[in-house]
Amino acid sequence: MLRIENLNVSIDSKEILKNFNLSVDEGEVHVIMGPNGVGKSTLSKVLIGDKNYKVNNGNIYYYDENIKDLTIDERSRKGIFIAYQHPQEIEGVNNIDFLKTALMARLDKPINLYEFAKSIEKLSNDLKLKENMLYRNINAGFSGGEKKKNEILQMRLLKPNLVILDEIDSGLDVDSLKIVCENTLEYLKENPKTSVVIITHYPRILEYIKPDYVHIMKNGKIVETGDYSLSLKIEKEGFENIGTNIIEDNK
Amino acid sequence: MNIINIVNNKISNSKINNKIKLKENKNICIDIIDNTKLYIEIDGINIKSNIDINIDENVNSRIFVFSNSIDSKININVNQNKNSNLILNSFYKNDDVKENTIINLNGYNSNIEYNYSCIGKTNKSLRINHYFSKTNSIVKNRSVSNNDEIEFEIIEYVPKGSIDCNLSQSSKIINLKENKCKIKPILLIDEKEVNASHSSVISPINDSDLLYLMSRGIDEHNSINLLVNGFLVNNLNLNEEEKHILFEKYIFRR
């Protein structure tokens, strides 16, 4: 489903990703771990098509189509979704109007408002979001946990094929993390072909969402790949001794 | 609901209760004598309207002025008396607006909240005179420039002897295409015991906001529309029903 080949990415002339390779099949859960500043979030931004990140070289294939030159909205409509680490607060734009517009864009057709309302009501209940939050400005005045839940609500509503969870666990309390993970798992159960790339520092989220592969990133590339046990090793020993033998082919 | 429709400085239709007195001579004169809400709709082509509004003592009122016109000149004069409170919302979607509003706070403890949103070529002048002590004004002007020049001039005057007045004004223009836009905040204050603040911002659309909306599949054009409409409508002190009417009747109409 997703194939990243020899990707080189820079921002402000600084090279962040260096010959990065990754392959993700349908229904797989991949985890990218690594210390701060190694390019994990850059990877997520490049995947969704953030124009602030310049791809110098390499290709990104999504269902065998090279999406390197597609805009962020085009990629989203094709089913690529990111749950942001820091969701944007937008004054003046009502959450419910935004969701309606986003769903119409994703489906490329008008929506049945009754079905939309029912679906939003169910998702809000599942995520234990207060109803009035839907009528407030996007993420404005939301707590950290509420913002992350709002991201997951959008994921479940827009039904993407590829989900990138960019540090979704940061700033979440135990109860909120559980709710976010349960909702993600519920979505994956309903959509078993959906693939997930989880970017995180900590293995705590992996207690809920079991990964097929765990990759460790250092200096803009993957230096080691393993399974869930690798994340536990990281928790115990840290990142320092990882990646002494760099693995170029990541899977 | 009180409604007055004005076309070419003539009242074309009105439906008002006994809390409002309406006179039509050279100007349209609206006297609000008790707490109430009023909608004024200005429509048509080549409009020249002169509207005088008087708010009686101890009266709380909300007025909405909606204009959806081409090449219009609108003069609004407001006189507020002692202990009166007015929330004046204006939404203009015109091709060429020259609007001049004067608000006279003519009585002790009279308060104005003035919220103005507009799209299109605009030359806006607002003057608030704090003629009495303990008068308060909050001014919020918002506009979006696509291909148009926009100019705001906001003058607030406090003469000596008007003590304990509070003045707050903020103006913001989203400039989508590097057009010529200008904001002139002018505070003429002859009294020391006054709190006054102002802010003026002319900026393009926030890139991070745009990116977030587009990351959910909304194309650039529709994302900008969402941000612009939100920016303008959110500035007005409206309930949900009024917002809905504004969207349906004015924002999506042309």
Side-chain angles (χ1 to χ4, degrees), chain A residues 77-127:
Chain A
R77 290 195 294 276
K78 283 185 179 289
I80 299 176
F81 180 90
I82 181 171
Y84 283 100
Q85 181 185 2
H86 301 294
Q88 188 72 8
E89 293 189 16
I90 304 181
E91 282 296 335
V93 182
N94 180 305
N95 212 12
I96 199 92
D97 290 339
F98 157 62
L99 293 172
K100 212 187 302 173
T101 312
L103 185 59
M104 282 195 286
R106 172 80 170 108
L107 300 175
D108 196 23
K109 62 178 185 186
I111 54 170
N112 180 316
L113 287 179
Y114 177 74
E115 282 174 16
F116 170 74
K118 292 297 283 179
S119 138
I120 289 288
E121 189 185 350
K122 184 190 177 305
L123 295 178
S124 310
N125 287 337
D126 287 354
L127 283 152

Side-chain angles (χ1 to χ4, degrees), chain A residues 76-77 82 88 92 151 154, chain B residues 209 211-212 214-217 230:
Chain A
S76 170
R77 290 195 294 276
I82 181 171
Q88 188 72 8
E151 296 290 284
Q154 292 170 38
Chain B
D209 289 353
L211 200 70
Y212 187 82
M214 290 178 72
S215 77
R216 300 314 187 223

Side-chain angles (χ1 to χ4, degrees), chain A residues 2-24:
Chain A
L2 176 71
R3 211 168 69 245
I4 303 172
E5 291 179 350
N6 303 319
L7 202 64
N8 281 273
V9 175
S10 60
I11 183 162
D12 297 332
S13 309
K14 190 184 172 194
E15 202 173 32
I16 309 288
L17 296 184
K18 299 163 189 168
N19 284 324
F20 186 92
N21 292 283
L22 180 69
S23 182
V24 177

Side-chain angles (χ1 to χ4, degrees), chain B residues 9 12 31 37 40 47 64 73 81 91 94 105 126 130-131 161 189 195 221 239 252:
Chain B
N9 205 29
S12 64
D31 193 2
K37 191 158 48 170
I40 301 171
I47 289 169
F64 304 86
K73 290 178 184 169
N81 293 295
F91 184 88
N94 298 347
L105 299 174
L126 169 68
H130 290 252
Y131 287 137
I189 299 173
N195 290 318
H221 176 77
N239 62 33
F252 295 129

Side-chain angles (χ1 to χ4, degrees), chain B residues 98-152:
Chain B
K98 282 183 186 161
E99 205 230 22
N100 183 29
T101 297
I102 299 172
I103 296 167
N104 296 312
L105 299 174
N106 287 330
Y108 177 85
N109 193 34
S110 50
N111 304 299
I112 174 74
E113 179 186 324
Y114 184 87
N115 307 310
Y116 177 86
S117 295
C118 73
I119 309 172
K121 190 177 174 188
T122 304
N123 190 323
K124 159 84 181 164
S125 168
L126 169 68
R127 182 181 176 109
I128 299 178
N129 295 313
H130 290 252
Y131 287 137
F132 272 76
S133 295
K134 280 226 173 235
T135 51
N136 301 302
S137 61
I138 298 170
V139 176
K140 289 187 289 170
N141 294 308
R142 300 288 183 267
S143 186
V144 176
S145 169
N146 193 7
N147 291 307
D148 313 294
E149 290 179 16
I150 293 174
E151 184 169 336
F152 287 156

Side-chain angles (χ1 to χ4, degrees), chain B residues 153-166:
Chain B
E153 182 183 79
I154 306 107
I155 303 169
E156 294 205 66
Y157 172 54
V158 184
K160 193 155 184 61
S162 290
I163 60 165
D164 291 339
C165 296
N166 291 295

Side-chain angles (χ1 to χ4, degrees), chain B residues 109-247:
Chain B
N109 193 34
S110 50
N111 304 299
I112 174 74
E113 179 186 324
Y114 184 87
N115 307 310
Y116 177 86
S117 295
C118 73
I119 309 172
K121 190 177 174 188
T122 304
N123 190 323
K124 159 84 181 164
S125 168
L126 169 68
R127 182 181 176 109
I128 299 178
N129 295 313
H130 290 252
Y131 287 137
F132 272 76
S133 295
K134 280 226 173 235
T135 51
N136 301 302
S137 61
I138 298 170
V139 176
K140 289 187 289 170
N141 294 308
R142 300 288 183 267
S143 186
V144 176
S145 169
N146 193 7
N147 291 307
D148 313 294
E149 290 179 16
I150 293 174
E151 184 169 336
F152 287 156
E153 182 183 79
I154 306 107
I155 303 169
E156 294 205 66
Y157 172 54
V158 184
K160 193 155 184 61
S162 290
I163 60 165
D164 291 339
C165 296
N166 291 295
L167 294 65
S168 161
Q169 55 170 271
S170 93
S171 298
K172 187 168 182 182
I173 299 171
I174 291 181
N175 195 347
L176 296 174
K177 291 182 183 165
E178 297 184 5
N179 300 303
K180 195 175 166 188
C181 295
K182 204 185 280 181
I183 299 172
K184 291 195 277 187
I186 301 169
L187 296 169
L188 305 171
I189 299 173
D190 290 336
E191 174 56 57
K192 285 181 182 170
E193 291 182 47
V194 167
N195 290 318
S197 64
H198 72 83
S199 67
S200 304
V201 178
I202 301 171
S203 68
I205 215 144
N206 183 322
D207 269 351
S208 301
D209 289 353
L210 190 60
L211 200 70
Y212 187 82
L213 296 183
M214 290 178 72
S215 77
R216 300 314 187 223
I218 305 169
D219 64 29
E220 188 173 7
H221 176 77
N222 283 317
S223 295
I224 290 173
N225 271 351
L226 265 181
L227 291 169
V228 162
N229 290 337
F231 170 73
L232 294 170
V233 174
N234 202 46
N235 180 48
L236 305 175
N237 188 334
L238 305 175
N239 62 33
E240 286 307 313
E241 189 189 348
E242 289 159 350
K243 279 183 188 172
H244 182 72
I245 292 169
L246 184 63
F247 268 110

